[in-house]
Amino acid sequence: MVISRFKRMMEKSPTMEKTPMPPALAATPDNQIVDLDVREELRNGEEPFSKIMAARGELPPGGVLRVRAIFEPAPLYKVLGRQGFDHWTEELADEDWRVWFYPAEQDSSAENGDSGTAAVGEVADVGDDVIVIDVRGMEPPEPMVRTLAALEELPAGKTLLHINERIPQFLLPRLEELGFTYDIREQNSELYRVFIRHRTS
């Protein structure tokens, strides 16, 4: 099996302690749960990260994402935690893990000052002439590809707000080549906002 960067990060995760299912999670109706099984992809050496993020984007309001994997997907805890999700993990058998991602009591995205209106990779018009694209947790070159695609549709006078966990070093020269200006604002070491606009002169 190909050991991806995703799996190498798993191997560094601490041993999980068994805890009872949170009451709020136990009360979730079945029609609010989205199941995603990525065990076969992982056994084939494929990277399921984008598939997991796509499933997260399809969750109904208040919904739960239930992921099956062949090892504990610890990096997802941080990625989805920043998007307002807690998690509860079960080891069902050897190479069979099930992780429930459910809305936290206090949305961490609100704490970080994010609008919360755009799923990862989704372009959302939040009004006031601002369009948001959140690329945190995505693997290169997908953040650049999605941002450039959004800029192709960006109307004159509007701003594209690119939310990232790092400064997009390879994107910045492309913006200058394509006639855009940008302003980078760092909120913390894992949250950067890049305000991108058409050059006016």
Side-chain angles (χ1 to χ4, degrees):
M1 179 192 304
V2 176
I3 301 180
S4 63
R5 182 178 69 88
F6 190 68
K7 183 173 183 179
R8 288 198 300 271
M9 292 173 70
M10 307 303 110
E11 294 170 342
K12 298 176 184 177
S13 64
T15 303
M16 182 196 69
E17 295 182 3
K18 270 199 169 183
T19 57
M21 177 180 284
L25 184 56
T28 304
D30 290 342
N31 62 4
Q32 289 289 99
I33 298 174
V34 173
D35 279 303
L36 180 63
D37 190 338
V38 297
R39 289 175 294 175
E40 193 62 30
E41 286 92 336
L42 291 169
R43 291 190 183 103
N44 292 334
E46 300 172 14
E47 188 67 77
F49 188 81
S50 60
K51 188 175 181 179
I52 294 169
M53 290 297 100
R56 175 260 176 267
E58 295 173 0
L59 286 179
V64 171
L65 176 61
R66 191 162 57 186
V67 177
R68 292 284 287 275
I70 62 174
F71 43 76
E72 185 182 9
L76 290 177
Y77 301 164
K78 184 176 181 180
V79 172
L80 292 177
R82 287 197 299 262
Q83 297 178 30
F85 288 87
D86 279 338
H87 64 273
W88 183 69
T89 305
E90 304 172 275
E91 185 177 10
L92 304 176
D94 289 342
E95 295 196 346
D96 189 3
W97 294 72
R98 181 167 61 191
V99 184
W100 309 58
F101 293 98
Y102 61 99
E105 290 185 5
Q106 182 174 12
D107 189 343
S108 65
S109 64
E111 292 176 359
N112 287 336
D114 296 340
S115 66
T117 57
V120 172
E122 177 182 318
V123 179
D125 192 331
V126 299
D128 295 328
D129 294 325
V130 176
I131 295 173
V132 177
I133 182 167
D134 187 341
V135 300
R136 289 175 295 177
M138 294 169 59
E139 293 291 329
E142 198 169 4
M144 178 184 288
V145 170
R146 296 209 180 200
T147 301
L148 293 178
L151 288 172
E152 289 181 0
E153 307 295 327
L154 184 68
K158 284 222 171 193
T159 298
L160 181 67
L161 171 54
H162 168 107
I163 300 175
N164 207 325
E165 57 203 353
R166 62 181 65 87
I167 296 175
Q169 300 288 357
F170 295 104
L171 174 65
L172 302 182
R174 289 288 292 137
L175 296 178
E176 295 176 353
E177 292 173 9
L178 294 171
F180 292 95
T181 62
Y182 58 85
D183 178 27
I184 302 173
R185 300 179 192 175
E186 177 183 358
Q187 181 157 335
N188 57 54
S189 62
E190 295 183 345
L191 179 58
Y192 294 84
R193 293 184 176 86
V194 184
F195 294 82
I196 307 171
R197 305 174 181 88
H198 288 279
R199 186 178 295 132
T200 56
S201 59

